[in-house]
Structure formats: C-alpha cells, structure tokens
Amino acid sequence: GNPWGYGKQDGPSVWHKNYPVAEGDRQSPIDIVPHQASHDPSLGPIVLNYDKCTSIKIANNGHSVVVEFEDSDDRSVIQGGPLGNPYRLKQFHFHWGGKDCHGSEHTVAGNSYASELHLVHWNAVKYKTFEEAATAPDGLAVLGIFLETGDNHRWLHTITDVLYTVKFKGSVTDFKGFNPKCLLPSSLHYWTYLGSLTTPPLYESVTWIIVKDPIIVSEKQLGKFRTLVFTGEEEDQRTRMENNFRPPQPLKGRKVRSSN
Ligand SMILES: CN[C@H]1CN(c2cccc(OC)c2)S(=O)(=O)c2sc(S(N)(=O)=O)cc21
Ligand SMILES: [Zn+2]
C-alpha cells in the first residue's frame, strides 16, 4: 500500500511516525495573517520566464495530478522576490477539497480556498540534481496560487479535459505545449516565508511564495479533479481523490514577509 496518504490511518496526523521532521521548526503549510506579515520594501517583483517552458507529461502519482517539465536547462525559471538566483520549474500540481469551502493548504486569516496550485522549482545554480536541492534549506521555491470558485477559467479546461486519462494512480499521459503562465492571476503580489514540502518527505527546503490574488475557476472544472482516484486501476477499492491537503502547521516564530 501507500507509505502515506490523506486518510484516517495514513493521513497528516500520523505522518510524524515515519517522517519525524513533520514536527520540525519550519513546516508547511501555515495560516497567513495579513496584518501580521511585515511589508518588506526590499522584496522585488517575482519574475517568471516560462516562455520556453517544455511540459512533458501529466500523471496521477496517487496523491495529486502532476504536470512535469523538462528541467535539464534554464529554459523556464522563476527569479526575483526573495530568491537569490533563478530556480528551475520542475512540476506543478494541485490540492483540493471534497467541497468548495475547503481544499487549499495555506489559509489566509483562517480562511481556506477551494484549491491551491503549486509550481515547484529547484535551485540548479547551487545544486547538481533536484534530489540534492530538495534536501537543502535553499533548494526549492514553490509558487502557490489559490483557486476560488466562480466563473469558468478560460484555460483550465486544457488540464481538466485530459484528467480522465490519468484517473488511476500510476497513470501517465503525454502533455506537451502547456505554459502554466495562463494559470496565474494578473497581480503577483505575494507573501513569502521559509517552510517545507507539504507532503512526505516534508523536507524543510522550500522558500514559499504565496500569491495574494486567487484565480477563479468554475465548480464544474474543480469537480473534474474529484473524478480522479487515489487508488490504482488494479485495486478493488476505489477512493475518490479529494481533501489531499495538509492543515496549517505551527509558525514557530517565523516571519512572513509581504511584497507591496
Ligand atoms: C509527493 N509530493 C512531493 C514530491 N516531491 C518530492 C520532493 C522531494 C523528494 C521527493 O522524493 C524523494 C519527492 S516534489 O518536490 O515534487 C513535491 S513539492 C510538494 S509541495 N506540496 O510542498 O509543493 C510536494 C512534493
Ligand atoms: Zn503541493
């Protein structure tokens, strides 16, 4: 079976048994309290150079749906903001709820969004491989985008239209020519803090950059994510993929900074 999941027996409340760092000092996600975030005028804008990005495939990894990118060179990078150098785009994935009232990992003043998109990047300037970067304190940078339900999102159908091909854990489909820039809100004002992966192995290697403005997607579009299952095609128990989010973790004295 799975080493970890989001159920009663294998979910976030027991991850610490196999991954003791779950109780560490820089765990993610967190609840962001806007008025307690310190505005830092030295924080420049986030710059995304995704125009040459090369998406390769879309997959169901038994925890989420993931779109992987070619990351053998600096063709698609994030830089600026709190980052000291460019970080390479490796993959993006989503977290969502069983109903639209919850599903995001980060919360804002205690409020959840329906879903959260994570664009995962790694520091290929300082580290030779992703795996090495993933265990380093400045190894990863994840851009988080909240999803709120409302009108149809004009580009999300590119993803939701192919989700039926990755219904089961372990399924993979070619997914070329997708530029995730179409999933970003117009303003990239953000909060940033030092944290971790929000799933096992929970490495404390992530500089989080959480965009303040959500993108709007329809309930119908979000509902398509819930047609995925955590389980493999061969398993007799089909478990709907939903509520694949970790709840907020203790801040432990960390500072959250805010761009303008
Ligand atoms: C299953 N999910 C994770 C998979 N990855 C991972 C990271 C390091 C090591 C590794 O195996 C050795 C796998 S990952 O870097 O792609 C990420 S990013 C991320 S999140 N939600 O914090 O953005 C969760 C995971
Ligand atoms: Zn994530």
Side-chain angles (χ1 to χ4, degrees):
N2 263 341
W4 60 273
Y6 291 96
K8 273 258 159 299
Q9 315 288 334
D10 62 3
S13 57
V14 300
W15 289 351
H16 67 91
K17 292 179 184 168
N18 291 331
Y19 306 93
V21 72
E23 297 174 330
D25 294 342
R26 58 173 279 190
Q27 288 292 293
S28 293
I30 60 168
D31 177 47
I32 296 165
V33 185
H35 304 296
Q36 286 169 15
S38 50
H39 176 249
D40 183 341
S42 78
L43 275 177
I46 290 297
V47 180
L48 299 173
N49 293 318
Y50 285 174
D51 295 348
K52 297 257 182 310
C53 78
T54 312
S55 66
I56 302 166
K57 60 187 174 178
I58 187 167
N60 177 333
N61 65 9
H63 312 294
S64 181
V65 55
V66 189
V67 174
E68 302 269 357
F69 289 80
E70 177 57 55
D71 64 346
S72 56
D73 63 23
D74 273 346
R75 66 182 69 192
S76 36
V77 296
I78 184 173
Q79 54 196 332
L83 304 173
N85 54 252
Y87 284 59
R88 252 180 224 174
L89 176 64
K90 174 173 175 48
Q91 58 103 311
F92 71 77
H93 62 273
F94 298 83
H95 303 265
W96 59 91
K99 294 189 296 292
D100 296 340
C101 52
H102 62 264
S104 64
E105 300 212 292
H106 290 87
T107 54
V108 181
N111 297 307
S112 291
Y113 285 90
S115 174
E116 189 171 329
L117 160 63
H118 289 157
L119 294 132
V120 183
H121 309 75
W122 61 282
N123 188 341
V125 167
K126 276 186 77 173
Y127 307 103
K128 279 192 290 303
T129 65
F130 166 79
E131 285 68 23
E132 188 192 346
T135 60
D138 59 352
L140 301 181
V142 183
L143 186 64
I145 313 285
F146 293 121
L147 279 67
E148 185 177 282
T149 48
D151 291 340
N152 208 50
H153 188 283
R154 66 175 301 156
W155 305 110
L156 191 63
H157 73 87
T158 323
I159 291 173
T160 56
D161 286 351
V162 302
L163 291 180
Y164 75 96
T165 69
V166 287
K167 180 182 172 76
F168 299 101
K169 176 174 76 172
S171 42
V172 188
T173 308
D174 280 348
F175 193 67
K176 297 202 169 36
F178 183 77
N179 185 331
K181 224 167 178 174
C182 68
L183 297 179
L184 303 180
S186 45
S187 149
L188 289 182
H189 291 165
Y190 60 89
W191 295 288
T192 184
Y193 76 98
L194 298 180
S196 73
L197 298 174
T198 65
T199 71
L202 297 169
Y203 293 148
E204 297 188 324
S205 58
V206 182
T207 297
W208 279 96
I209 300 167
I210 306 291
V211 174
K212 295 183 182 179
D213 290 347
I215 60 168
I216 310 298
V217 307
S218 68
E219 292 193 16
K220 190 161 173 285
Q221 289 176 313
L222 204 50
K224 292 195 175 169
F225 284 86
R226 301 187 190 105
T227 63
L228 302 172
V229 294
F230 285 119
T231 43
E233 191 162 9
E234 72 293 340
E235 294 180 59
D236 52 3
Q237 282 282 18
R238 281 196 186 173
T239 321
R240 186 193 294 256
M241 188 178 276
E242 58 188 22
N243 298 310
N244 55 352
F245 63 90
R246 188 191 195 190
Q249 301 301 307
L251 194 55
K252 301 218 175 157
R254 285 174 284 177
K255 279 276 163 271
V256 178
R257 292 185 290 161
S258 159
S259 77
N260 60 351

mmCIF file of all heavy atoms in Angstrom, residues 164-203:
data_model
loop_
_atom_site.group_PDB
_atom_site.id
_atom_site.type_symbol
_atom_site.label_atom_id
_atom_site.label_comp_id
_atom_site.label_asym_id
_atom_site.label_seq_id
_atom_site.Cartn_x
_atom_site.Cartn_y
_atom_site.Cartn_z
ATOM 1 N N TYR A 164 -9.419 12.593 -17.336
ATOM 2 C CA TYR A 164 -9.967 11.218 -17.429
ATOM 3 C C TYR A 164 -8.879 10.225 -17.850
ATOM 4 O O TYR A 164 -8.972 9.033 -17.589
ATOM 5 C CB TYR A 164 -11.148 11.171 -18.402
ATOM 6 C CG TYR A 164 -10.751 11.229 -19.855
ATOM 7 C CD1 TYR A 164 -10.615 10.060 -20.597
ATOM 8 C CD2 TYR A 164 -10.480 12.445 -20.475
ATOM 9 C CE1 TYR A 164 -10.233 10.106 -21.940
ATOM 10 C CE2 TYR A 164 -10.079 12.507 -21.804
ATOM 11 C CZ TYR A 164 -9.964 11.335 -22.533
ATOM 12 O OH TYR A 164 -9.555 11.392 -23.858
ATOM 13 N N THR A 165 -7.799 10.738 -18.476
ATOM 14 C CA THR A 165 -6.737 9.813 -18.932
ATOM 15 C C THR A 165 -5.771 9.468 -17.799
ATOM 16 O O THR A 165 -4.922 8.593 -17.950
ATOM 17 C CB THR A 165 -5.912 10.451 -20.075
ATOM 18 O OG1 THR A 165 -5.151 11.541 -19.536
ATOM 19 C CG2 THR A 165 -6.792 10.955 -21.207
ATOM 20 N N VAL A 166 -5.872 10.173 -16.664
ATOM 21 C CA VAL A 166 -4.986 9.885 -15.521
ATOM 22 C C VAL A 166 -5.822 9.639 -14.264
ATOM 23 O O VAL A 166 -5.464 10.039 -13.155
ATOM 24 C CB VAL A 166 -3.952 11.021 -15.278
ATOM 25 C CG1 VAL A 166 -2.871 10.985 -16.358
ATOM 26 C CG2 VAL A 166 -4.635 12.387 -15.226
ATOM 27 N N LYS A 167 -6.926 8.918 -14.454
ATOM 28 C CA LYS A 167 -7.857 8.673 -13.348
ATOM 29 C C LYS A 167 -7.210 7.884 -12.209
ATOM 30 O O LYS A 167 -7.387 8.196 -11.043
ATOM 31 C CB LYS A 167 -9.073 7.882 -13.872
ATOM 32 C CG LYS A 167 -10.136 7.548 -12.837
ATOM 33 C CD LYS A 167 -11.268 6.716 -13.457
ATOM 34 C CE LYS A 167 -12.242 6.213 -12.417
ATOM 35 N NZ LYS A 167 -13.158 7.259 -11.947
ATOM 36 N N PHE A 168 -6.393 6.902 -12.557
ATOM 37 C CA PHE A 168 -5.841 5.972 -11.571
ATOM 38 C C PHE A 168 -4.389 6.286 -11.208
ATOM 39 O O PHE A 168 -3.620 6.762 -12.045
ATOM 40 C CB PHE A 168 -5.918 4.532 -12.105
ATOM 41 C CG PHE A 168 -7.320 4.068 -12.380
ATOM 42 C CD1 PHE A 168 -7.804 4.055 -13.688
ATOM 43 C CD2 PHE A 168 -8.167 3.699 -11.345
ATOM 44 C CE1 PHE A 168 -9.105 3.641 -13.950
ATOM 45 C CE2 PHE A 168 -9.461 3.283 -11.599
ATOM 46 C CZ PHE A 168 -9.942 3.257 -12.903
ATOM 47 N N LYS A 169 -4.020 5.955 -9.976
ATOM 48 C CA LYS A 169 -2.643 6.091 -9.509
ATOM 49 C C LYS A 169 -1.720 5.368 -10.493
ATOM 50 O O LYS A 169 -2.014 4.243 -10.908
ATOM 51 C CB LYS A 169 -2.494 5.469 -8.111
ATOM 52 C CG LYS A 169 -1.074 5.485 -7.570
ATOM 53 C CD LYS A 169 -0.980 5.007 -6.146
ATOM 54 C CE LYS A 169 -1.102 3.496 -6.069
ATOM 55 N NZ LYS A 169 -0.812 2.994 -4.684
ATOM 56 N N GLY A 170 -0.625 6.030 -10.874
ATOM 57 C CA GLY A 170 0.338 5.405 -11.768
ATOM 58 C C GLY A 170 0.074 5.676 -13.231
ATOM 59 O O GLY A 170 0.882 5.307 -14.089
ATOM 60 N N SER A 171 -1.057 6.312 -13.564
ATOM 61 C CA SER A 171 -1.317 6.596 -14.989
ATOM 62 C C SER A 171 -0.596 7.877 -15.413
ATOM 63 O O SER A 171 -0.477 8.813 -14.628
ATOM 64 C CB SER A 171 -2.823 6.709 -15.258
ATOM 65 O OG SER A 171 -3.465 7.441 -14.241
ATOM 66 N N VAL A 172 -0.102 7.868 -16.642
ATOM 67 C CA VAL A 172 0.678 8.986 -17.206
ATOM 68 C C VAL A 172 0.229 9.224 -18.637
ATOM 69 O O VAL A 172 -0.077 8.265 -19.356
ATOM 70 C CB VAL A 172 2.193 8.648 -17.233
ATOM 71 C CG1 VAL A 172 3.006 9.875 -17.621
ATOM 72 C CG2 VAL A 172 2.656 8.120 -15.889
ATOM 73 N N THR A 173 0.129 10.470 -19.051
ATOM 74 C CA THR A 173 -0.230 10.801 -20.437
ATOM 75 C C THR A 173 0.687 11.900 -20.939
ATOM 76 O O THR A 173 1.072 12.785 -20.164
ATOM 77 C CB THR A 173 -1.687 11.338 -20.482
ATOM 78 O OG1 THR A 173 -2.539 10.430 -19.814
ATOM 79 C CG2 THR A 173 -2.170 11.557 -21.906
ATOM 80 N N ASP A 174 1.045 11.836 -22.220
ATOM 81 C CA ASP A 174 1.820 12.936 -22.823
ATOM 82 C C ASP A 174 1.054 14.235 -22.633
ATOM 83 O O ASP A 174 -0.178 14.253 -22.746
ATOM 84 C CB ASP A 174 1.991 12.698 -24.331
ATOM 85 C CG ASP A 174 3.113 11.698 -24.604
ATOM 86 O OD1 ASP A 174 3.868 11.384 -23.662
ATOM 87 O OD2 ASP A 174 3.223 11.223 -25.753
ATOM 88 N N PHE A 175 1.782 15.319 -22.328
ATOM 89 C CA PHE A 175 1.106 16.597 -22.115
ATOM 90 C C PHE A 175 2.068 17.700 -22.522
ATOM 91 O O PHE A 175 2.789 18.245 -21.696
ATOM 92 C CB PHE A 175 0.681 16.732 -20.645
ATOM 93 C CG PHE A 175 -0.277 17.863 -20.388
ATOM 94 C CD1 PHE A 175 -1.568 17.828 -20.903
ATOM 95 C CD2 PHE A 175 0.101 18.961 -19.631
ATOM 96 C CE1 PHE A 175 -2.458 18.863 -20.654
ATOM 97 C CE2 PHE A 175 -0.786 20.008 -19.369
ATOM 98 C CZ PHE A 175 -2.068 19.948 -19.889
ATOM 99 N N LYS A 176 2.121 17.993 -23.830
ATOM 100 C CA LYS A 176 3.124 18.906 -24.358
ATOM 101 C C LYS A 176 2.503 20.262 -24.664
ATOM 102 O O LYS A 176 1.288 20.390 -24.859
ATOM 103 C CB LYS A 176 3.754 18.296 -25.624
ATOM 104 C CG LYS A 176 4.499 16.981 -25.340
ATOM 105 C CD LYS A 176 5.525 16.678 -26.390
ATOM 106 C CE LYS A 176 6.479 15.538 -26.039
ATOM 107 N NZ LYS A 176 5.917 14.394 -25.276
ATOM 108 N N GLY A 177 3.371 21.286 -24.620
ATOM 109 C CA GLY A 177 2.952 22.605 -25.082
ATOM 110 C C GLY A 177 2.103 23.395 -24.124
ATOM 111 O O GLY A 177 1.460 24.373 -24.499
ATOM 112 N N PHE A 178 2.086 22.987 -22.849
ATOM 113 C CA PHE A 178 1.288 23.742 -21.870
ATOM 114 C C PHE A 178 2.171 24.725 -21.105
ATOM 115 O O PHE A 178 3.167 24.336 -20.505
ATOM 116 C CB PHE A 178 0.584 22.803 -20.884
ATOM 117 C CG PHE A 178 -0.309 23.540 -19.915
ATOM 118 C CD1 PHE A 178 -1.563 24.007 -20.318
ATOM 119 C CD2 PHE A 178 0.125 23.839 -18.635
ATOM 120 C CE1 PHE A 178 -2.366 24.724 -19.442
ATOM 121 C CE2 PHE A 178 -0.671 24.566 -17.757
ATOM 122 C CZ PHE A 178 -1.921 25.002 -18.159
ATOM 123 N N ASN A 179 1.775 26.003 -21.116
ATOM 124 C CA ASN A 179 2.526 27.020 -20.377
ATOM 125 C C ASN A 179 1.701 27.453 -19.177
ATOM 126 O O ASN A 179 0.622 28.029 -19.359
ATOM 127 C CB ASN A 179 2.819 28.228 -21.286
ATOM 128 C CG ASN A 179 3.705 29.258 -20.576
ATOM 129 O OD1 ASN A 179 3.656 29.372 -19.353
ATOM 130 N ND2 ASN A 179 4.491 29.985 -21.350
ATOM 131 N N PRO A 180 2.152 27.172 -17.957
ATOM 132 C CA PRO A 180 1.355 27.450 -16.762
ATOM 133 C C PRO A 180 1.152 28.939 -16.480
ATOM 134 O O PRO A 180 0.389 29.302 -15.589
ATOM 135 C CB PRO A 180 2.148 26.781 -15.639
ATOM 136 C CG PRO A 180 3.545 26.706 -16.140
ATOM 137 C CD PRO A 180 3.450 26.555 -17.629
ATOM 138 N N LYS A 181 1.780 29.787 -17.287
ATOM 139 C CA LYS A 181 1.588 31.232 -17.105
ATOM 140 C C LYS A 181 0.101 31.576 -17.242
ATOM 141 O O LYS A 181 -0.385 32.527 -16.626
ATOM 142 C CB LYS A 181 2.410 32.013 -18.129
ATOM 143 C CG LYS A 181 3.123 33.192 -17.456
ATOM 144 C CD LYS A 181 4.186 33.832 -18.270
ATOM 145 C CE LYS A 181 4.770 35.008 -17.477
ATOM 146 N NZ LYS A 181 5.929 35.599 -18.151
ATOM 147 N N CYS A 182 -0.629 30.757 -18.015
ATOM 148 C CA CYS A 182 -2.067 31.027 -18.239
ATOM 149 C C CYS A 182 -2.897 30.761 -16.988
ATOM 150 O O CYS A 182 -4.088 31.065 -16.949
ATOM 151 C CB CYS A 182 -2.570 30.179 -19.405
ATOM 152 S SG CYS A 182 -2.610 28.428 -19.053
ATOM 153 N N LEU A 183 -2.264 30.186 -15.957
ATOM 154 C CA LEU A 183 -2.996 29.884 -14.718
ATOM 155 C C LEU A 183 -2.721 30.911 -13.617
ATOM 156 O O LEU A 183 -3.126 30.712 -12.472
ATOM 157 C CB LEU A 183 -2.610 28.486 -14.204
ATOM 158 C CG LEU A 183 -2.957 27.304 -15.110
ATOM 159 C CD1 LEU A 183 -2.491 26.007 -14.476
ATOM 160 C CD2 LEU A 183 -4.471 27.261 -15.380
ATOM 161 N N LEU A 184 -2.012 31.992 -13.967
ATOM 162 C CA LEU A 184 -1.647 32.959 -12.924
ATOM 163 C C LEU A 184 -2.604 34.145 -12.927
ATOM 164 O O LEU A 184 -3.149 34.513 -13.971
ATOM 165 C CB LEU A 184 -0.210 33.457 -13.173
ATOM 166 C CG LEU A 184 0.865 32.355 -13.241
ATOM 167 C CD1 LEU A 184 2.230 32.953 -13.495
ATOM 168 C CD2 LEU A 184 0.865 31.537 -11.963
ATOM 169 N N PRO A 185 -2.829 34.758 -11.750
ATOM 170 C CA PRO A 185 -3.652 35.963 -11.703
ATOM 171 C C PRO A 185 -2.855 37.135 -12.278
ATOM 172 O O PRO A 185 -1.644 37.025 -12.477
ATOM 173 C CB PRO A 185 -3.930 36.152 -10.213
ATOM 174 C CG PRO A 185 -2.789 35.473 -9.522
ATOM 175 C CD PRO A 185 -2.336 34.361 -10.419
ATOM 176 N N SER A 186 -3.540 38.258 -12.545
ATOM 177 C CA SER A 186 -2.837 39.377 -13.186
ATOM 178 C C SER A 186 -1.807 39.993 -12.234
ATOM 179 O O SER A 186 -0.707 40.334 -12.635
ATOM 180 C CB SER A 186 -3.849 40.444 -13.621
ATOM 181 O OG SER A 186 -4.760 40.650 -12.565
ATOM 182 N N SER A 187 -2.163 40.094 -10.938
ATOM 183 C CA SER A 187 -1.205 40.669 -9.995
ATOM 184 C C SER A 187 -0.448 39.563 -9.264
ATOM 185 O O SER A 187 -1.053 38.603 -8.778
ATOM 186 C CB SER A 187 -1.952 41.515 -8.959
ATOM 187 O OG SER A 187 -1.250 41.482 -7.718
ATOM 188 N N LEU A 188 0.857 39.701 -9.183
ATOM 189 C CA LEU A 188 1.679 38.703 -8.489
ATOM 190 C C LEU A 188 2.170 39.234 -7.145
ATOM 191 O O LEU A 188 3.246 38.850 -6.667
ATOM 192 C CB LEU A 188 2.860 38.273 -9.364
ATOM 193 C CG LEU A 188 2.517 37.418 -10.589
ATOM 194 C CD1 LEU A 188 3.801 37.030 -11.340
ATOM 195 C CD2 LEU A 188 1.742 36.149 -10.192
ATOM 196 N N HIS A 189 1.371 40.091 -6.489
ATOM 197 C CA HIS A 189 1.733 40.480 -5.112
ATOM 198 C C HIS A 189 1.698 39.220 -4.271
ATOM 199 O O HIS A 189 0.849 38.349 -4.505
ATOM 200 C CB HIS A 189 0.737 41.516 -4.571
ATOM 201 C CG HIS A 189 0.856 42.832 -5.268
ATOM 202 N ND1 HIS A 189 -0.086 43.816 -5.193
ATOM 203 C CD2 HIS A 189 1.830 43.333 -6.085
ATOM 204 C CE1 HIS A 189 0.282 44.856 -5.920
ATOM 205 N NE2 HIS A 189 1.455 44.573 -6.471
ATOM 206 N N TYR A 190 2.605 39.101 -3.308
ATOM 207 C CA TYR A 190 2.771 37.812 -2.612
ATOM 208 C C TYR A 190 3.182 37.977 -1.164
ATOM 209 O O TYR A 190 3.603 39.049 -0.733
ATOM 210 C CB TYR A 190 3.840 36.975 -3.349
ATOM 211 C CG TYR A 190 5.208 37.653 -3.395
ATOM 212 C CD1 TYR A 190 6.133 37.472 -2.384
ATOM 213 C CD2 TYR A 190 5.557 38.497 -4.457
ATOM 214 C CE1 TYR A 190 7.373 38.109 -2.409
ATOM 215 C CE2 TYR A 190 6.791 39.148 -4.492
ATOM 216 C CZ TYR A 190 7.687 38.949 -3.473
ATOM 217 O OH TYR A 190 8.899 39.592 -3.506
ATOM 218 N N TRP A 191 3.021 36.855 -0.441
ATOM 219 C CA TRP A 191 3.623 36.684 0.875
ATOM 220 C C TRP A 191 4.735 35.669 0.696
ATOM 221 O O TRP A 191 4.652 34.801 -0.184
ATOM 222 C CB TRP A 191 2.613 36.127 1.882
ATOM 223 C CG TRP A 191 1.464 37.029 2.201
ATOM 224 C CD1 TRP A 191 1.499 38.186 2.941
ATOM 225 C CD2 TRP A 191 0.096 36.846 1.802
ATOM 226 N NE1 TRP A 191 0.236 38.741 3.022
ATOM 227 C CE2 TRP A 191 -0.632 37.929 2.338
ATOM 228 C CE3 TRP A 191 -0.565 35.860 1.077
ATOM 229 C CZ2 TRP A 191 -2.013 38.050 2.152
ATOM 230 C CZ3 TRP A 191 -1.932 35.983 0.894
ATOM 231 C CH2 TRP A 191 -2.644 37.080 1.430
ATOM 232 N N THR A 192 5.801 35.751 1.524
ATOM 233 C CA THR A 192 6.859 34.751 1.419
ATOM 234 C C THR A 192 7.373 34.384 2.808
ATOM 235 O O THR A 192 7.398 35.206 3.720
ATOM 236 C CB THR A 192 8.018 35.252 0.522
ATOM 237 O OG1 THR A 192 8.992 34.213 0.378
ATOM 238 C CG2 THR A 192 8.669 36.521 1.060
ATOM 239 N N TYR A 193 7.717 33.100 2.964
ATOM 240 C CA TYR A 193 8.270 32.621 4.242
ATOM 241 C C TYR A 193 9.032 31.332 3.975
ATOM 242 O O TYR A 193 8.899 30.723 2.892
ATOM 243 C CB TYR A 193 7.145 32.382 5.266
ATOM 244 C CG TYR A 193 6.361 31.108 5.025
ATOM 245 C CD1 TYR A 193 6.638 29.942 5.738
ATOM 246 C CD2 TYR A 193 5.353 31.054 4.057
ATOM 247 C CE1 TYR A 193 5.933 28.764 5.506
ATOM 248 C CE2 TYR A 193 4.653 29.884 3.814
ATOM 249 C CZ TYR A 193 4.947 28.753 4.533
ATOM 250 O OH TYR A 193 4.270 27.578 4.297
ATOM 251 N N LEU A 194 9.838 30.918 4.939
ATOM 252 C CA LEU A 194 10.642 29.692 4.793
ATOM 253 C C LEU A 194 9.877 28.512 5.385
ATOM 254 O O LEU A 194 9.443 28.544 6.539
ATOM 255 C CB LEU A 194 11.994 29.860 5.496
ATOM 256 C CG LEU A 194 12.879 30.985 4.925
ATOM 257 C CD1 LEU A 194 14.202 31.066 5.693
ATOM 258 C CD2 LEU A 194 13.135 30.783 3.431
ATOM 259 N N GLY A 195 9.692 27.474 4.582
ATOM 260 C CA GLY A 195 8.922 26.314 5.040
ATOM 261 C C GLY A 195 9.411 25.013 4.449
ATOM 262 O O GLY A 195 10.612 24.836 4.197
ATOM 263 N N SER A 196 8.446 24.121 4.221
ATOM 264 C CA SER A 196 8.781 22.738 3.848
ATOM 265 C C SER A 196 7.879 22.244 2.720
ATOM 266 O O SER A 196 6.896 22.905 2.349
ATOM 267 C CB SER A 196 8.563 21.828 5.060
ATOM 268 O OG SER A 196 7.150 21.662 5.293
ATOM 269 N N LEU A 197 8.180 21.030 2.257
ATOM 270 C CA LEU A 197 7.221 20.312 1.420
ATOM 271 C C LEU A 197 5.988 20.082 2.292
ATOM 272 O O LEU A 197 6.120 19.856 3.501
ATOM 273 C CB LEU A 197 7.802 18.960 1.010
ATOM 274 C CG LEU A 197 9.064 18.964 0.167
ATOM 275 C CD1 LEU A 197 9.564 17.551 -0.023
ATOM 276 C CD2 LEU A 197 8.840 19.644 -1.155
ATOM 277 N N THR A 198 4.802 20.086 1.702
ATOM 278 C CA THR A 198 3.593 19.861 2.495
ATOM 279 C C THR A 198 3.170 18.388 2.466
ATOM 280 O O THR A 198 2.117 18.023 2.984
ATOM 281 C CB THR A 198 2.413 20.702 1.983
ATOM 282 O OG1 THR A 198 2.079 20.240 0.660
ATOM 283 C CG2 THR A 198 2.756 22.180 1.969
ATOM 284 N N THR A 199 4.002 17.558 1.807
ATOM 285 C CA THR A 199 3.763 16.115 1.836
ATOM 286 C C THR A 199 5.059 15.434 2.246
ATOM 287 O O THR A 199 6.142 16.028 2.092
ATOM 288 C CB THR A 199 3.417 15.565 0.423
ATOM 289 O OG1 THR A 199 4.604 15.613 -0.383
ATOM 290 C CG2 THR A 199 2.296 16.337 -0.239
ATOM 291 N N PRO A 200 4.997 14.222 2.732
ATOM 292 C CA PRO A 200 6.239 13.478 2.916
ATOM 293 C C PRO A 200 7.061 13.509 1.633
ATOM 294 O O PRO A 200 6.469 13.527 0.537
ATOM 295 C CB PRO A 200 5.758 12.060 3.229
ATOM 296 C CG PRO A 200 4.433 12.270 3.900
ATOM 297 C CD PRO A 200 3.825 13.428 3.155
ATOM 298 N N PRO A 201 8.378 13.650 1.698
ATOM 299 C CA PRO A 201 9.218 13.570 2.905
ATOM 300 C C PRO A 201 9.288 14.854 3.753
ATOM 301 O O PRO A 201 10.080 14.912 4.675
ATOM 302 C CB PRO A 201 10.597 13.222 2.332
ATOM 303 C CG PRO A 201 10.589 13.754 0.948
ATOM 304 C CD PRO A 201 9.172 13.661 0.465
ATOM 305 N N LEU A 202 8.454 15.878 3.471
ATOM 306 C CA LEU A 202 8.313 17.059 4.356
ATOM 307 C C LEU A 202 9.637 17.802 4.564
ATOM 308 O O LEU A 202 9.803 18.485 5.592
ATOM 309 C CB LEU A 202 7.713 16.644 5.712
ATOM 310 C CG LEU A 202 6.293 16.063 5.655
ATOM 311 C CD1 LEU A 202 5.926 15.439 7.011
ATOM 312 C CD2 LEU A 202 5.261 17.118 5.277
ATOM 313 N N TYR A 203 10.546 17.663 3.610
ATOM 314 C CA TYR A 203 11.852 18.326 3.722
ATOM 315 C C TYR A 203 11.710 19.829 3.937
ATOM 316 O O TYR A 203 10.879 20.473 3.282
ATOM 317 C CB TYR A 203 12.679 18.117 2.446
ATOM 318 C CG TYR A 203 13.107 16.693 2.187
ATOM 319 C CD1 TYR A 203 13.234 16.234 0.875
ATOM 320 C CD2 TYR A 203 13.400 15.805 3.221
ATOM 321 C CE1 TYR A 203 13.642 14.929 0.596
ATOM 322 C CE2 TYR A 203 13.796 14.507 2.955
ATOM 323 C CZ TYR A 203 13.911 14.077 1.641
ATOM 324 O OH TYR A 203 14.310 12.791 1.369
#
